[in-house]
Amino acid sequence: MSSGKINVSVENIFPLIKKFLYSDHEIFLRELVSNATDATLKLKHLTSIGEAKVEYGHPTIEVKIDKENKKLHIIDQGIGMTAEEVEKYINQVAFSGAEEFLDKYKDSAKDTGIIGHFGLGFYSAFMVADKVEIITKSYKDEPAAYWTCDGSPEFTMEPADKKDRGTEIVLHIAEDSVEFLEESRIRELLQKYNKFMPIPIKFGTKQQALPKPDDAPEDYKTEYETVDNIINNPTPAWTKQPSELTAEDYKSFYHELYPMQFEEPLFNIHLNVDHPFNLTGILYFPKLAKDMQIQRDKIQLYQNQVFVTDNVEGIVPEFLTMLKGVIDSPDIPLNVSRSYLQADGNVKKISNYITRKVADKLKSLFTENREDFEAKWNDIKIVLEYGMLSEPKFYEKAGAFTLYPTVDDQYFTLDELKEKVKDTQTDKDGKLVLLYAGNKDAQHSFIDAAKAKGYEVLLLDSPLVPHLIQKLEADNEKLVFTRVDADHIDNLIKKEDTAISKLSDEEKEKLKTAIEGVVPAATYTVQLEALDSSAAPFMITQPEFMRRMKEMSQMGGGGMYGMGNFPDM
Ligand code: ADP
Ligand code: MG
């Protein structure tokens, strides 16, 4: 038996770990299951390169509650440790065994998916336990070791008689952490952090129906057997190649990710890059509700299949945070502040990559199946419009697939529209004039009148339209958007006005004076029978610029849909 002091600096570190290392005490389980996973993946690697001459088999990780004795066990069948290794990897706090392992096996171990980085994960156990035991046996032919520590820097170590390879960690749960002895709490944590980890994780048992025998009698009652309850899916869809997956697979993964979500996603984007950073994932465009309540299901960030957070702010460009799905990248710095995250070069690259990838996918959806894309347009437009306004890189690409629907449900790109109206809808300065309505019912008489003149009328009804129009006009010198009920629509009309007045001039004057008496002349213009074939005897219009001012001031300030502040225009 040996005993000693872990490290002089530890005396100061321990209370820090207990209190401040992780604000969330629950992550101890994530760390210990990650270590068990690392240990198993290390063994897999060593057997595959022939360095460990043992059978890899089908190792699992087990999490077990012993409520009576207030203990929680995490048991793996991985690489294990010799006494010497415990001394080195466990006693030397902040010495990262994982880091060393990766250094040593640099090239061959790159893709093993080992998680540890900081050499502090193990000590997070002391956030919830007042005593921790390790019983471990290395894959090497050496005696097992037993280590225990009560949270002070003193530890003891002695040989153990464990026969099978692997490591068992025993936590003596502290009085203030008894919640971690509850089955429901542990199940919840495993579901949250470990749902897609690469090694099967066993937690308790469950009843499983036996297949009905062929010669079952009439009154056959289903029989059950007790089987291990495996809580995770070790090979989630995002770890596979797109070519291995069907449309159905993507959909069922969506529901696996969000069990409470019953709507089908509109389409998905499979992310897969390994240079200059490593990132995989699947993003889904959800069907957005009209009123867009705060989205409960968010994009989840993983690191080597370990859940990290569902706050992807800074990693995913803001306009895409309305999407759903997963991103898995070992190259996003962990355990660091958000501001650091934003300053990190890799993180910015990742965000740009995602923007580009989403734009490319939208473009290919548009070119490959335009009809389908048009059908989905109303569900996705708000995300795209917001992207165009907030991400210059996205704006550059979006012209190729952004659609402008007409009041008759036809969809055009901006280029198509320009081509279509170039001979019929210009003003005196030679600018193309695109007429649009914001509300089909309210503006129907203006719409009918404009259509009767042979004009295209767009239906632009999203709340971002005033901003988008301003941007498009700024970037397209020869383009103006004009509301279909604007006062100067008549000025751009080049064709002969064919309306024949049924009122005498005197009658017209009278009518005009009467109307002007009730509407403020400074803000409205009264037109009599100005628009042919319109059923309306007169129309009251408002100058375009006044309307826009009003719309913008109504929209200004405040966040949109929880997307944060609106970009300054
Ligand atoms: P990290 O995982 O970042 O290296 P930890 O504090 O979580 O840091 O673990 C320290 C080291 O202890 C690991 O790198 C590993 O060498 C060793 N270790 C921890 N848990 C196990 C385990 N279950 N099996 C084998 N080795 C382990
Ligand atoms: Mg670790």
Side-chain angles (χ1 to χ4, degrees):
M1 167 164 171
S2 75
S3 64
K5 260 192 163 188
I6 287 174
N7 197 314
V8 213
S9 61
V10 171
E11 240 140 336
N12 311 322
I13 287 176
F14 256 121
L16 279 179
I17 291 173
K18 275 196 100 137
K19 283 218 170 70
F20 303 116
L21 176 59
Y22 301 101
S23 48
D24 249 353
H25 283 186
E26 64 178 37
I27 60 86
F28 79 93
L29 189 61
R30 177 189 81 190
E31 291 300 318
L32 295 179
V33 175
S34 295
N35 283 351
T37 302
D38 280 355
T40 312
L41 291 172
K42 283 176 190 171
L43 184 73
K44 187 179 187 179
H45 182 63
L46 292 182
T47 52
S48 78
I49 62 169
E51 192 165 322
K53 304 214 174 344
V54 297
E55 190 66 40
Y56 177 66
H58 299 281
T60 58
I61 293 165
E62 182 175 7
V63 177
K64 214 163 64 179
I65 298 172
D66 175 357
K67 205 166 175 176
E68 202 178 323
N69 297 304
K70 299 191 175 159
K71 291 195 282 189
L72 185 68
H73 301 248
I74 295 103
I75 307 156
D76 69 61
Q77 296 153 7
I79 193 174
M81 285 177 277
T82 63
E84 205 181 309
E85 285 164 344
V86 174
E87 172 71 40
K88 184 173 169 193
Y89 297 131
I90 298 295
N91 291 348
Q92 295 182 35
V93 183
F95 179 91
S96 173
E99 207 97 298
E100 192 205 50
F101 182 90
L102 283 176
D103 264 357
K104 186 163 168 202
Y105 295 99
K106 223 176 221 120
D107 296 319
S108 61
K110 227 186 239 138
D111 303 320
T112 49
I114 292 157
I115 299 149
H117 275 308
F118 305 100
L120 286 173
F122 171 75
Y123 283 92
S124 67
F126 288 100
M127 297 190 300
V128 301
D130 42 30
K131 180 176 162 187
V132 177
E133 297 171 277
I134 302 174
I135 309 122
T136 180
K137 175 152 174 46
S138 168
Y139 74 94
K140 296 169 196 159
D141 193 16
E142 280 192 49
Y146 173 83
W147 176 97
T148 182
C149 177
D150 64 2
S152 73
E154 314 312 308
F155 71 89
T156 60
M157 193 147 76
E158 55 193 281
D161 59 2
K162 185 174 165 53
K163 293 279 177 299
D164 36 345
R165 178 191 68 227
T167 301
E168 174 164 4
I169 309 281
V170 185
L171 308 185
H172 295 253
I173 299 296
E175 270 317 314
D176 61 2
S177 301
V178 286
E179 63 185 284
F180 300 114
L181 291 169
E182 295 303 326
E183 193 185 313
S184 59
R185 181 75 169 115
I186 296 297
R187 184 190 312 281
E188 176 199 334
L189 292 182
L190 292 173
Q191 280 296 333
K192 177 170 173 185
Y193 294 105
N194 311 100
K195 194 171 164 184
F196 299 114
M197 285 189 69
I199 305 295
I201 300 164
K202 181 185 160 189
F203 182 58
T205 55
K206 64 177 179 190
Q207 298 298 304
Q208 188 170 281
L210 284 166
K212 190 174 168 182
D214 290 340
D215 56 355
E218 279 279 307
D219 58 351
Y220 173 79
K221 271 180 73 188
T222 312
E223 287 189 43
Y224 294 87
E225 63 175 338
T226 305
V227 295
D228 286 350
N229 179 33
I230 302 294
I231 60 98
N232 56 330
N233 168 5
T235 51
W238 83 82
T239 63
K240 297 177 185 168
Q241 290 299 317
S243 58
E244 292 174 59
L245 297 162
T246 64
E248 253 339 285
D249 294 332
Y250 283 111
K251 276 186 196 162
S252 64
F253 178 64
Y254 183 73
H255 296 297
E256 192 179 343
L257 203 54
Y258 306 113
M260 302 307 285
Q261 178 61 250
F262 301 109
E263 283 266 25
E264 295 292 347
L266 294 170
F267 53 85
N268 64 271
I269 300 167
H270 199 129
L271 307 169
N272 199 338
V273 61
D274 44 35
H275 189 80
F277 50 84
N278 192 296
L279 180 136
T280 50
I282 301 174
L283 296 179
Y284 292 92
F285 263 78
K287 221 173 146 75
L288 295 175
K290 254 250 151 70
D291 51 354
M292 298 230 299
Q293 327 93 326
I294 300 294
Q295 306 273 339
R296 194 183 23 157
D297 299 321
K298 300 193 199 148
I299 296 176
Q300 301 179 357
L301 177 66
Y302 286 75
Q303 214 160 60
N304 292 319
Q305 295 174 238
V306 185
F307 174 81
V308 178
T309 176
D310 59 8
N311 178 2
V312 293
E313 194 188 316
I315 298 161
V316 170
E318 197 189 0
F319 79 102
L320 293 176
T321 54
M322 278 184 277
L323 305 195
K324 297 175 191 221
V326 291
I327 290 171
D328 189 330
S329 175
D331 293 325
I332 296 170
L334 268 191
N335 294 338
V336 287
S337 72
R338 288 270 145 199
S339 52
Y340 181 84
L341 198 60
Q342 258 136 29
D344 185 89
N346 253 346
V347 175
K348 188 66 203 156
K349 274 189 216 141
I350 287 172
S351 164
N352 288 342
Y353 164 79
I354 294 172
T355 301
R356 200 173 59 232
K357 193 76 191 187
V358 169
D360 291 347
K361 175 76 179 190
L362 289 165
K363 187 173 173 190
S364 74
L365 285 170
F366 173 68
T367 42
E368 279 160 27
N369 189 348
R370 178 162 178 160
E371 206 179 319
D372 184 55
F373 191 80
E374 289 180 358
K376 287 169 178 162
W377 178 255
N378 280 316
D379 282 308
I380 64 173
K381 66 183 176 193
I382 185 93
V383 176
L384 272 54
E385 287 164 356
Y386 189 56
M388 289 167 79
L389 291 169
S390 58
E391 287 288 327
K393 283 206 158 65
F394 186 74
Y395 180 77
E396 275 168 31
K397 295 198 163 215
F401 50 79
T402 302
L403 294 177
Y404 301 85
T406 69
V407 288
D408 304 312
D409 290 326
Q410 280 183 290
Y411 292 79
F412 298 107
T413 64
L414 193 57
D415 283 343
E416 288 167 351
L417 268 179
K418 287 181 183 167
E419 186 58 30
K420 201 160 168 51
V421 305
K422 70 175 194 296
D423 297 325
T424 48
Q425 287 176 227
T426 48
D427 66 8
K428 58 178 176 1
D429 305 322
K431 288 189 177 186
L432 294 181
V433 180
L434 294 178
L435 299 177
Y436 71 100
N439 184 321
K440 241 165 139 169
D441 292 333
Q443 294 164 306
H444 76 95
S445 52
F446 296 97
I447 293 171
D448 290 347
K451 275 165 62 181
K453 296 234 152 130
Y455 301 141
E456 284 297 340
V457 182
L458 304 175
L459 181 64
L460 304 180
D461 56 3
S462 104
L464 299 182
V465 157
H467 294 274
L468 192 62
I469 282 177
Q470 223 179 43
K471 189 162 176 62
L472 290 169
E473 286 179 346
D475 289 343
N476 294 272
E477 225 182 282
K478 291 237 152 272
L479 194 66
V480 273
F481 283 82
T482 299
R483 276 253 307 229
V484 69
D485 48 1
D487 59 346
H488 59 279
I489 158 164
D490 259 9
N491 302 341
L492 68 102
I493 296 169
K494 280 188 165 173
K495 291 185 199 162
E496 284 298 293
D497 205 328
T498 51
I500 298 161
S501 179
K502 291 174 202 77
L503 297 177
S504 70
D505 283 355
E506 200 184 325
E507 282 169 324
K508 274 193 201 167
E509 245 345 281
K510 255 184 166 169
L511 183 58
K512 199 167 180 220
T513 322
I515 300 164
E516 279 171 353
V518 288
V519 297
T523 37
Y524 296 96
T525 310
V526 177
Q527 290 171 274
L528 298 174
E529 296 175 306
L531 302 162
D532 57 340
S533 96
S534 158
F538 62 86
M539 285 179 181
I540 301 168
T541 58
Q542 186 180 24
E544 177 69 6
F545 81 94
M546 292 220 41
R547 185 188 339 277
R548 283 196 201 180
M549 297 271 288
K550 202 163 137 228
E551 277 174 358
M552 305 278 262
S553 70
Q554 278 165 356
M555 295 197 57
M560 294 246 352
Y561 311 119
M563 294 186 295
N565 281 329
F566 212 71
D568 281 331
M569 307 265 336

